[in-house]
Each structure stands twice: as structure tokens, then as C-alpha cells.
Amino acid sequence: MRRPRRVRAFGFLAVTVVLLGVAILSIKVGSRDVDWSDVFAVLAGDADGMNQAAVEKRIPRTLLAMLVGAGLGVAGAVMQGVTRNPLADPGILGVNMGASLAVVIGISYFGLAAASSYIWIAILGAAAAAVFVYGVGSLGRGGATPLKLALAGAATSAALVSFVTAIVLGRNDVADTVQSWRVGGVGGATYSSIEQVLPFLIVGFLISMASARGLNSLALGDDLAAGLGERVALVRGGASVGAIILCGAATAVAGPIAFVGLVIPHACRLIVGVDYRWLVPYSAVAGAVLLTVADVIGRIVARPSEIDVGILTALIGAPFFIYIVRRQKVGSL
């Protein structure tokens, strides 16, 4: 359904305002209560007290949650467009776990310790998993149907989880680091990790935006898209590269966080319809909102402990996944 431009523009402005409010809330709210004066003091450059130190620690955490959520939201939207699959998501299709396995292998056997090295190997792992799942899902009659891709992704994810577990069980020296990272969270955010992952997320987003017009054509079917002058294989390949970069980079710094890329594009289509020129930026902002809200909730529901965002997004996304399977015709977008 095509929405009026005014509705889309107003909706984007509203979601952006919500994101700013959520970001301020994320800096203010946490396991330790702070006053607004502490927040303003930190923003003014004063971080002498304990409360100010707590606020200062939440700023990079908030920024990373926004960046990772934006990356996963866009990656999900692009994957749904590339595969014409309403169930597509980096977690469901096994891409997250491919990145995770690559990082775990790098940590365990190659001594990787820097976030920059995590990112490169995570992107390679995500790409390998995406190619494998699409290849398996394309076998048999009918090609890569949404249901076959979802089943191939689920089976691949289960196998990759087993591989990760097998590696970790034999390496007690890295078990604690890997186990906490595998849950998916942004609690260990630093400005250094943000600086390292930001260029990859920007590149992935730009590639995704450049692919938006082609994804609109792909939604009409490959034959019609080709008739309109689109190079179908080039569009599909380019968009996939953008999604893989986003997913791999986000997974490298925050661990495998699932369902953001499933929930967000579906929610954004209620406002903007199926035009990817609007859906991609909408998914970025809305994804940032969702993951930041999840992080805030995780900090306050189990005080003084915390619940990682990967757990909360699974609690939100799993019922939504079941709803889509039951209520939609799982054919194509």
C-alpha cells in the first residue's frame, strides 16, 4: 500500500523524536538512580561523583545500542526484500550464528582480541552462512521459497550453535568471555568499539540505501524487474552485501541479537508501505528505538542485576514470529 509522502515524513519525524527521548531515558535510567542534575553535569563535561560516573558509562552503551539496533533493523528489511520472504531475519536465517561461530573460532584458535578483527571475521562468517542457507533453501522444486529458507536457516543455526558449544567446552580459558558475548548485549560498550564498528555500519547502510530502488523492483518479481531494466542478480547481490556487512559488524560488537530484523520492518511497513526508499531509513531509526528500549528495560527489571538485550528481543520477537507464520500467507513480499 502506498502511503502519502506527508504521512511518511511526519511518521519519520515522530520516530526520530521518540529515539531522542529514548536515548535521554537510557542515559538517565539504570540500575543506579541518578538525578537530572547528574545527567546535565556529565553532558557539560563534569563527571566527578559516583552518579556522574554511572551516567558517563551509559552514554557509549546507549550509542552502541542505537547503532546495533539500526544495523539489525536495516539488515532485516533488506534480507526480506532480497529473498521476498516475510520471515527473513539475520537470526532466523542463521546469519548471526555464522558470524558468531567465526568470532568464536577467531578468539579460541587465532587469539583475536581487538574489536576490529572481530568485525572482519564476523562479516566473513555471516557471508558464508548466508550463502549456505540460500543454497540449501534453493534445492528441490520451487527454488528458495520462504518456508524452505526459514527451515534451512533454523537447521543451520542449530548446527552452528552446536559447533560453538563444542569449541567453548574445550576451551575453559575463553569460556567466560564467549558465553557472555553469545547472549547478546551492549553492556561492555566503549567509545573505542563504537569508533571501530561505525565505518562498517555506515558503509552497510549506504549500500542498502543505494539498493532500495532495485529492491522495489524485485518486489514485483524477477521477470518484471528485469523487464524494467534492473540487473536482478546485481541488485540482489549488492543488497545482500550491505545486509551482511551490517549484520556481521553488529554481531561482532554486541553478540548475536535475534528478531530485531524481523519485527522492525513489519512494524515500519504499517507506516510507509513497501517502498524501500523509505523503509530502510525507517527501519534504522525504529531498530535503534527497539534495542535501546530493550536495554533500558533489561537494566531495571532485575536490579541490581541486568538482563541482556538478546534475551529481551527474543521474548518480544518469538511470539511475533509465530504470529506471522499463523496469520500471513508465507509466500513472498
Side-chain angles (χ1 to χ4, degrees), residues 1-5 7-8 216 269 271-275 277-278:
M1 181 185 300
R2 186 175 179 84
R3 309 291 185 185
R5 181 177 292 271
V7 173
R8 294 171 172 175
N216 285 340
R269 285 190 188 92
I271 305 174
V272 300
V274 296
D275 188 343
R277 293 172 298 178
W278 285 89

Side-chain angles (χ1 to χ4, degrees), residues 5 22 35 37 59 76-77 91 130 135-136 149 154 164 207 240 291 294 298 300:
R5 181 177 292 271
V22 168
D35 295 327
S37 59
I59 295 177
V136 172
L149 285 174
V164 170
I207 293 175
S240 298
L291 205 66
I300 62 178

Side-chain angles (χ1 to χ4, degrees), residues 81 84 110 134 164 168 193 261-262 324:
R84 299 180 62 204
F110 297 98
Y134 192 82
V164 170
V168 173
S193 61
L262 174 70
I324 294 174

Side-chain angles (χ1 to χ4, degrees), residues 37-303:
S37 59
D38 298 314
V39 176
F40 295 139
V42 171
L43 295 178
D46 181 13
D48 294 333
M50 292 293 294
N51 287 345
Q52 288 93 332
V55 172
E56 190 175 38
K57 187 177 180 180
R58 293 172 191 165
I59 295 177
R61 179 173 184 160
T62 300
L63 292 174
L64 187 62
M66 293 166 61
L67 290 173
V68 171
L72 293 175
V74 173
V78 171
M79 286 183 178
Q80 290 175 14
V82 167
T83 62
R84 299 180 62 204
N85 180 358
L87 302 179
D89 168 79
I92 294 172
L93 295 185
V95 181
N96 276 351
M97 286 312 305
S100 300
L101 177 60
V103 171
V104 171
I105 291 174
I107 294 173
S108 301
Y109 298 114
F110 297 98
L112 298 184
S116 56
S117 56
Y118 285 5
I119 295 170
W120 283 110
I121 196 170
I123 291 173
L124 292 175
V131 171
F132 179 80
V133 169
Y134 192 82
V136 172
S138 300
L139 297 176
R141 300 175 62 181
T145 65
L147 184 58
K148 286 166 64 178
L149 285 174
L151 292 174
T156 301
S157 292
L160 295 179
V161 168
S162 299
F163 291 145
V164 170
T165 302
I167 293 172
V168 173
L169 287 177
R171 294 295 304 271
N172 292 330
D173 55 327
V174 299
D176 291 340
T177 301
V178 172
Q179 289 287 41
S180 60
W181 175 82
R182 282 178 58 195
V183 176
V186 294
T190 63
Y191 288 112
S192 176
S193 61
I194 292 173
E195 290 174 359
Q196 289 172 338
V197 76
L198 184 59
F200 291 90
L201 295 177
I202 291 175
V203 169
F205 178 78
L206 292 177
I207 293 175
S208 299
M209 279 300 301
S211 304
R213 180 176 174 274
L215 291 174
N216 285 340
S217 298
L218 289 185
L220 303 174
D222 289 0
D223 293 338
L224 186 54
L228 294 173
E230 294 290 350
R231 297 181 178 180
V232 174
L234 184 61
V235 171
R236 183 168 278 124
S240 298
V241 168
I244 288 170
I245 292 174
L246 289 170
C247 178
T251 302
V253 294
I257 299 174
F259 292 112
V260 175
L262 174 70
V263 174
I264 290 302
H266 283 279
C268 291
R269 285 190 188 92
L270 298 176
I271 305 174
V272 300
V274 296
D275 188 343
Y276 280 86
R277 293 172 298 178
W278 285 89
L279 185 60
V280 168
Y282 256 90
S283 295
V285 178
V289 171
L290 175 61
L291 205 66
T292 307
V293 169
D295 184 45
V296 172
I297 294 173
R299 283 185 249 158
I300 62 178
V301 296
R303 288 181 176 179

